[in-house]
Short mmCIF file of all heavy atoms in Angstrom, two decimals:
data_model
loop_
_atom_site.label_atom_id
_atom_site.label_comp_id
_atom_site.label_asym_id
_atom_site.label_seq_id
_atom_site.Cartn_x
_atom_site.Cartn_y
_atom_site.Cartn_z
N GLY A 1 0.79 -1.23 0.00
CA GLY A 1 0.00 0.00 0.00
C GLY A 1 0.82 1.27 0.00
O GLY A 1 0.25 2.37 -0.03
N ARG A 2 2.15 1.18 -0.01
CA ARG A 2 2.99 2.37 -0.08
C ARG A 2 4.41 2.00 -0.49
O ARG A 2 4.80 0.83 -0.47
CB ARG A 2 3.04 3.11 1.25
CG ARG A 2 3.76 2.33 2.35
CD ARG A 2 4.34 3.25 3.42
NE ARG A 2 4.91 2.52 4.54
CZ ARG A 2 6.14 2.01 4.55
NH1 ARG A 2 6.91 2.10 3.48
NH2 ARG A 2 6.60 1.37 5.62
N GLY A 3 5.23 3.04 -0.80
CA GLY A 3 6.66 2.89 -1.00
C GLY A 3 7.41 3.78 -0.04
O GLY A 3 6.84 4.38 0.88
N ARG A 4 8.73 3.90 -0.28
CA ARG A 4 9.56 4.76 0.54
C ARG A 4 10.63 5.39 -0.35
O ARG A 4 11.28 4.70 -1.16
CB ARG A 4 10.21 3.97 1.68
CG ARG A 4 11.04 4.83 2.64
CD ARG A 4 11.41 4.04 3.89
NE ARG A 4 12.24 4.84 4.81
CZ ARG A 4 11.76 5.76 5.62
NH1 ARG A 4 10.46 6.02 5.65
NH2 ARG A 4 12.57 6.43 6.43
N ALA A 5 10.84 6.69 -0.22
CA ALA A 5 11.86 7.42 -0.97
C ALA A 5 12.20 8.69 -0.22
O ALA A 5 11.33 9.27 0.47
CB ALA A 5 11.38 7.74 -2.39
N ASP A 6 13.46 9.13 -0.36
CA ASP A 6 13.89 10.38 0.28
C ASP A 6 13.58 10.38 1.77
O ASP A 6 13.10 11.39 2.33
CB ASP A 6 13.25 11.59 -0.40
CG ASP A 6 13.60 11.67 -1.88
OD1 ASP A 6 14.72 11.30 -2.23
OD2 ASP A 6 12.72 12.08 -2.67
N ASP A 7 13.81 9.25 2.43
CA ASP A 7 13.64 9.11 3.88
C ASP A 7 12.20 9.28 4.35
O ASP A 7 11.96 9.58 5.53
CB ASP A 7 14.53 10.12 4.63
CG ASP A 7 16.01 9.89 4.37
OD1 ASP A 7 16.41 8.73 4.29
OD2 ASP A 7 16.75 10.88 4.22
N ALA A 8 11.23 9.07 3.45
CA ALA A 8 9.83 9.26 3.85
C ALA A 8 8.95 8.23 3.15
O ALA A 8 9.23 7.80 2.02
CB ALA A 8 9.36 10.67 3.51
N ASP A 9 7.87 7.84 3.84
CA ASP A 9 6.87 6.97 3.23
C ASP A 9 6.04 7.79 2.25
O ASP A 9 5.63 8.91 2.56
CB ASP A 9 5.96 6.38 4.30
CG ASP A 9 6.72 5.48 5.27
OD1 ASP A 9 7.84 5.07 4.94
OD2 ASP A 9 6.18 5.22 6.36
N ARG A 10 5.79 7.21 1.07
CA ARG A 10 5.04 7.95 0.06
C ARG A 10 4.46 6.99 -0.97
O ARG A 10 4.67 5.78 -0.89
CB ARG A 10 5.93 8.99 -0.62
CG ARG A 10 7.19 8.41 -1.28
CD ARG A 10 8.09 9.52 -1.84
NE ARG A 10 8.66 10.31 -0.77
CZ ARG A 10 8.63 11.65 -0.75
NH1 ARG A 10 8.04 12.32 -1.73
NH2 ARG A 10 9.20 12.32 0.23
N GLY A 11 3.74 7.54 -1.95
CA GLY A 11 3.15 6.71 -3.01
C GLY A 11 2.05 5.81 -2.50
O GLY A 11 1.95 4.65 -2.90
N PHE A 12 1.17 6.32 -1.64
CA PHE A 12 0.12 5.50 -1.03
C PHE A 12 -0.89 5.05 -2.07
O PHE A 12 -1.34 5.83 -2.91
CB PHE A 12 -0.55 6.28 0.10
CG PHE A 12 0.38 6.56 1.25
CD1 PHE A 12 1.14 7.70 1.28
CD2 PHE A 12 0.52 5.64 2.28
CE1 PHE A 12 2.03 7.95 2.32
CE2 PHE A 12 1.40 5.88 3.32
CZ PHE A 12 2.16 7.04 3.34
N TYR A 13 -1.24 3.77 -1.98
CA TYR A 13 -2.04 3.12 -3.03
C TYR A 13 -3.53 3.32 -2.80
O TYR A 13 -4.01 3.31 -1.67
CB TYR A 13 -1.72 1.62 -3.05
CG TYR A 13 -2.38 0.88 -4.19
CD1 TYR A 13 -1.87 0.97 -5.48
CD2 TYR A 13 -3.51 0.11 -3.99
CE1 TYR A 13 -2.47 0.30 -6.53
CE2 TYR A 13 -4.12 -0.57 -5.02
CZ TYR A 13 -3.60 -0.46 -6.29
OH TYR A 13 -4.21 -1.12 -7.33
N SER A 14 -4.25 3.47 -3.90
CA SER A 14 -5.71 3.52 -3.86
C SER A 14 -6.25 2.43 -4.80
O SER A 14 -6.00 2.47 -6.01
CB SER A 14 -6.22 4.90 -4.31
OG SER A 14 -7.63 4.93 -4.33
N GLY A 15 -6.96 1.48 -4.23
CA GLY A 15 -7.50 0.38 -5.03
C GLY A 15 -7.40 -0.91 -4.24
O GLY A 15 -7.22 -0.91 -3.03
N GLU A 16 -7.51 -2.03 -4.94
CA GLU A 16 -7.51 -3.34 -4.31
C GLU A 16 -6.26 -4.13 -4.66
O GLU A 16 -5.72 -3.99 -5.76
CB GLU A 16 -8.76 -4.11 -4.72
CG GLU A 16 -10.04 -3.54 -4.10
CD GLU A 16 -11.24 -3.68 -5.00
OE1 GLU A 16 -11.38 -4.76 -5.60
OE2 GLU A 16 -12.03 -2.73 -5.11
N ILE A 17 -5.80 -4.92 -3.71
CA ILE A 17 -4.61 -5.75 -3.87
C ILE A 17 -4.92 -7.11 -3.27
O ILE A 17 -5.52 -7.22 -2.20
CB ILE A 17 -3.38 -5.14 -3.16
CG1 ILE A 17 -3.10 -3.72 -3.65
CG2 ILE A 17 -2.15 -6.03 -3.37
CD1 ILE A 17 -2.01 -3.01 -2.87
N ARG A 18 -4.48 -8.17 -3.94
CA ARG A 18 -4.61 -9.52 -3.41
C ARG A 18 -3.49 -10.38 -3.98
O ARG A 18 -2.79 -9.98 -4.91
CB ARG A 18 -5.97 -10.14 -3.76
CG ARG A 18 -6.23 -10.31 -5.25
CD ARG A 18 -7.58 -10.97 -5.51
NE ARG A 18 -7.91 -11.04 -6.92
CZ ARG A 18 -7.55 -12.02 -7.75
NH1 ARG A 18 -6.83 -13.04 -7.28
NH2 ARG A 18 -7.91 -12.02 -9.02
N GLY A 19 -3.31 -11.56 -3.39
CA GLY A 19 -2.37 -12.54 -3.94
C GLY A 19 -0.94 -12.05 -4.01
O GLY A 19 -0.27 -12.27 -5.02
N VAL A 20 -0.43 -11.43 -2.94
CA VAL A 20 0.95 -10.93 -2.94
C VAL A 20 1.90 -12.08 -2.59
O VAL A 20 1.72 -12.77 -1.58
CB VAL A 20 1.12 -9.78 -1.95
CG1 VAL A 20 2.58 -9.32 -1.89
CG2 VAL A 20 0.22 -8.61 -2.33
N ARG A 21 2.92 -12.29 -3.42
CA ARG A 21 3.92 -13.32 -3.19
C ARG A 21 5.32 -12.74 -3.36
O ARG A 21 5.53 -11.86 -4.20
CB ARG A 21 3.75 -14.48 -4.18
CG ARG A 21 2.49 -15.34 -3.99
CD ARG A 21 2.39 -16.35 -5.12
NE ARG A 21 1.39 -17.37 -4.90
CZ ARG A 21 0.12 -17.29 -5.28
NH1 ARG A 21 -0.30 -16.18 -5.89
NH2 ARG A 21 -0.72 -18.28 -5.06
N LEU A 22 6.29 -13.29 -2.59
CA LEU A 22 7.69 -12.89 -2.67
C LEU A 22 8.56 -14.13 -2.78
O LEU A 22 8.31 -15.14 -2.11
CB LEU A 22 8.10 -12.10 -1.42
CG LEU A 22 7.29 -10.85 -1.07
CD1 LEU A 22 7.73 -10.33 0.29
CD2 LEU A 22 7.48 -9.77 -2.13
N TRP A 23 9.60 -14.05 -3.62
CA TRP A 23 10.55 -15.15 -3.79
C TRP A 23 11.98 -14.62 -3.71
O TRP A 23 12.25 -13.50 -4.15
CB TRP A 23 10.41 -15.81 -5.16
CG TRP A 23 9.16 -16.55 -5.49
CD1 TRP A 23 8.96 -17.89 -5.42
CD2 TRP A 23 7.95 -16.00 -6.02
NE1 TRP A 23 7.70 -18.22 -5.88
CE2 TRP A 23 7.06 -17.06 -6.25
CE3 TRP A 23 7.54 -14.69 -6.33
CZ2 TRP A 23 5.78 -16.88 -6.75
CZ3 TRP A 23 6.27 -14.50 -6.83
CH2 TRP A 23 5.40 -15.58 -7.04
N ASN A 24 12.90 -15.45 -3.25
CA ASN A 24 14.34 -15.16 -3.35
C ASN A 24 14.93 -15.85 -4.57
O ASN A 24 15.92 -16.56 -4.51
CB ASN A 24 15.07 -15.62 -2.08
CG ASN A 24 14.82 -14.70 -0.91
OD1 ASN A 24 14.64 -13.50 -1.07
ND2 ASN A 24 14.80 -15.27 0.29
N ARG A 25 14.29 -15.68 -5.68
CA ARG A 25 14.73 -16.24 -6.96
C ARG A 25 13.97 -15.55 -8.07
O ARG A 25 13.07 -14.73 -7.84
CB ARG A 25 14.51 -17.75 -7.02
CG ARG A 25 13.04 -18.17 -6.93
CD ARG A 25 12.89 -19.66 -7.19
NE ARG A 25 11.52 -20.14 -7.03
CZ ARG A 25 10.61 -20.16 -8.00
NH1 ARG A 25 10.90 -19.68 -9.21
NH2 ARG A 25 9.39 -20.63 -7.77
N VAL A 26 14.30 -15.93 -9.29
CA VAL A 26 13.60 -15.41 -10.48
C VAL A 26 12.33 -16.23 -10.71
O VAL A 26 12.36 -17.47 -10.69
CB VAL A 26 14.51 -15.50 -11.71
CG1 VAL A 26 13.75 -15.13 -12.99
CG2 VAL A 26 15.73 -14.59 -11.53
N VAL A 27 11.20 -15.57 -10.90
CA VAL A 27 9.97 -16.25 -11.30
C VAL A 27 10.03 -16.54 -12.80
O VAL A 27 10.46 -15.69 -13.60
CB VAL A 27 8.74 -15.39 -10.95
CG1 VAL A 27 7.52 -15.81 -11.75
CG2 VAL A 27 8.43 -15.50 -9.46
N THR A 28 9.62 -17.73 -13.19
CA THR A 28 9.69 -18.15 -14.59
C THR A 28 8.29 -18.37 -15.16
O THR A 28 7.28 -18.31 -14.46
CB THR A 28 10.49 -19.46 -14.71
OG1 THR A 28 9.75 -20.53 -14.11
CG2 THR A 28 11.85 -19.35 -14.02
N HIS A 29 8.27 -18.64 -16.44
CA HIS A 29 7.03 -18.90 -17.17
C HIS A 29 6.20 -19.99 -16.50
O HIS A 29 4.97 -19.88 -16.35
CB HIS A 29 7.37 -19.28 -18.61
CG HIS A 29 6.21 -19.68 -19.46
ND1 HIS A 29 5.69 -20.95 -19.47
CD2 HIS A 29 5.47 -18.97 -20.34
CE1 HIS A 29 4.68 -21.00 -20.32
NE2 HIS A 29 4.53 -19.82 -20.86
N ASP A 30 6.86 -21.08 -16.08
CA ASP A 30 6.13 -22.20 -15.48
C ASP A 30 5.51 -21.83 -14.15
O ASP A 30 4.48 -22.40 -13.77
CB ASP A 30 7.05 -23.40 -15.31
CG ASP A 30 7.31 -24.13 -16.63
OD1 ASP A 30 6.90 -23.59 -17.68
OD2 ASP A 30 7.92 -25.21 -16.61
N ASP A 31 6.13 -20.93 -13.38
CA ASP A 31 5.52 -20.48 -12.13
C ASP A 31 4.14 -19.88 -12.39
O ASP A 31 3.22 -20.03 -11.59
CB ASP A 31 6.39 -19.42 -11.45
CG ASP A 31 7.66 -20.00 -10.86
OD1 ASP A 31 7.57 -20.97 -10.09
OD2 ASP A 31 8.74 -19.48 -11.16
N LEU A 32 4.02 -19.19 -13.51
CA LEU A 32 2.77 -18.50 -13.83
C LEU A 32 1.77 -19.42 -14.50
O LEU A 32 0.58 -19.43 -14.13
CB LEU A 32 3.06 -17.30 -14.73
CG LEU A 32 4.05 -16.27 -14.18
CD1 LEU A 32 4.27 -15.16 -15.19
CD2 LEU A 32 3.56 -15.71 -12.86
N TRP A 33 2.21 -20.18 -15.48
CA TRP A 33 1.29 -20.94 -16.32
C TRP A 33 1.23 -22.42 -16.00
O TRP A 33 0.39 -23.13 -16.54
CB TRP A 33 1.67 -20.75 -17.79
CG TRP A 33 1.46 -19.35 -18.25
CD1 TRP A 33 2.41 -18.39 -18.44
CD2 TRP A 33 0.21 -18.72 -18.56
NE1 TRP A 33 1.84 -17.22 -18.85
CE2 TRP A 33 0.49 -17.38 -18.93
CE3 TRP A 33 -1.12 -19.14 -18.55
CZ2 TRP A 33 -0.51 -16.48 -19.30
CZ3 TRP A 33 -2.11 -18.25 -18.91
CH2 TRP A 33 -1.80 -16.94 -19.29
N GLY A 34 2.12 -22.90 -15.13
CA GLY A 34 2.09 -24.30 -14.75
C GLY A 34 3.14 -25.12 -15.48
O GLY A 34 3.67 -24.72 -16.52
N THR A 35 3.44 -26.29 -14.92
CA THR A 35 4.43 -27.21 -15.48
C THR A 35 3.72 -28.41 -16.08
O THR A 35 2.91 -29.05 -15.40
CB THR A 35 5.39 -27.68 -14.39
OG1 THR A 35 6.04 -26.55 -13.80
CG2 THR A 35 6.44 -28.63 -14.95
N PRO A 36 3.99 -28.73 -17.34
CA PRO A 36 3.35 -29.92 -17.93
C PRO A 36 3.98 -31.19 -17.38
O PRO A 36 5.13 -31.20 -16.92
CB PRO A 36 3.63 -29.76 -19.43
CG PRO A 36 4.89 -28.94 -19.49
CD PRO A 36 4.84 -28.01 -18.31
N SER A 37 3.25 -32.28 -17.46
CA SER A 37 3.76 -33.57 -17.04
C SER A 37 4.84 -34.05 -18.01
O SER A 37 4.69 -33.95 -19.23
CB SER A 37 2.62 -34.59 -16.98
OG SER A 37 3.12 -35.88 -16.69
N ASP A 38 5.94 -34.56 -17.46
CA ASP A 38 7.02 -35.12 -18.27
C ASP A 38 7.60 -36.31 -17.51
O ASP A 38 8.53 -36.16 -16.71
CB ASP A 38 8.11 -34.07 -18.53
CG ASP A 38 9.19 -34.57 -19.48
OD1 ASP A 38 9.24 -35.79 -19.75
OD2 ASP A 38 10.01 -33.75 -19.93
N PRO A 39 7.03 -37.52 -17.69
CA PRO A 39 7.49 -38.68 -16.93
C PRO A 39 8.98 -38.95 -17.11
O PRO A 39 9.65 -39.38 -16.17
CB PRO A 39 6.64 -39.83 -17.49
CG PRO A 39 5.42 -39.16 -18.03
CD PRO A 39 5.89 -37.84 -18.57
N GLY A 40 9.51 -38.67 -18.29
CA GLY A 40 10.93 -38.91 -18.53
C GLY A 40 11.83 -38.04 -17.68
O GLY A 40 12.93 -38.46 -17.29
N ALA A 41 11.37 -36.83 -17.39
CA ALA A 41 12.15 -35.91 -16.56
C ALA A 41 11.73 -35.98 -15.10
O ALA A 41 12.30 -35.28 -14.26
CB ALA A 41 11.99 -34.49 -17.08
N GLY A 42 10.72 -36.80 -14.80
CA GLY A 42 10.28 -36.95 -13.43
C GLY A 42 9.42 -35.81 -12.92
O GLY A 42 9.29 -35.64 -11.70
N THR A 43 8.81 -35.02 -13.81
CA THR A 43 7.97 -33.90 -13.38
C THR A 43 6.50 -34.24 -13.56
O THR A 43 6.11 -34.89 -14.54
CB THR A 43 8.30 -32.62 -14.17
OG1 THR A 43 8.09 -32.87 -15.57
CG2 THR A 43 9.73 -32.20 -13.95
N GLN A 44 5.69 -33.80 -12.62
CA GLN A 44 4.25 -33.97 -12.69
C GLN A 44 3.59 -32.66 -13.06
O GLN A 44 4.16 -31.58 -12.83
CB GLN A 44 3.71 -34.46 -11.36
CG GLN A 44 4.24 -35.83 -10.94
CD GLN A 44 3.67 -36.29 -9.62
OE1 GLN A 44 3.17 -35.49 -8.85
NE2 GLN A 44 3.74 -37.59 -9.37
N ALA A 45 2.41 -32.74 -13.65
CA ALA A 45 1.67 -31.54 -14.01
C ALA A 45 1.37 -30.73 -12.75
O ALA A 45 0.86 -31.26 -11.77
CB ALA A 45 0.39 -31.89 -14.74
N THR A 46 1.70 -29.44 -12.79
CA THR A 46 1.50 -28.55 -11.65
C THR A 46 0.86 -27.26 -12.15
O THR A 46 1.32 -26.69 -13.14
CB THR A 46 2.83 -28.23 -10.96
OG1 THR A 46 3.48 -29.44 -10.59
CG2 THR A 46 2.61 -27.38 -9.72
N ALA A 47 -0.18 -26.81 -11.48
CA ALA A 47 -0.85 -25.57 -11.88
C ALA A 47 0.02 -24.37 -11.54
O ALA A 47 0.76 -24.36 -10.55
CB ALA A 47 -2.20 -25.45 -11.18
N GLY A 48 -0.07 -23.33 -12.37
CA GLY A 48 0.64 -22.10 -12.11
C GLY A 48 -0.19 -21.16 -11.24
O GLY A 48 -1.38 -21.41 -10.98
#
């Protein structure tokens, strides 16, 4: 709902926010759209 710059809180948000996620890595295409099943690679279908 806000940011910080020049030693002050600012940029207060107006509207709706949901589904906030944070990672210590790069998000990839499969994170968003899901991973298809690949028995040869040992991966199961996973929703994004």
Side-chain angles (χ1 to χ4, degrees):
R2 67 155 174 83
R4 183 168 178 79
D6 301 325
D7 298 321
D9 297 343
R10 57 185 68 229
F12 295 90
Y13 186 77
S14 177
E16 290 147 42
I17 304 173
R18 62 178 175 87
V20 177
R21 291 174 169 90
L22 304 172
W23 294 261
N24 285 328
R25 64 172 176 88
V26 173
V27 160
T28 69
H29 176 276
D30 284 8
D31 288 307
L32 303 179
W33 293 103
T35 302
S37 175
D38 185 348
T43 59
Q44 297 181 341
T46 305

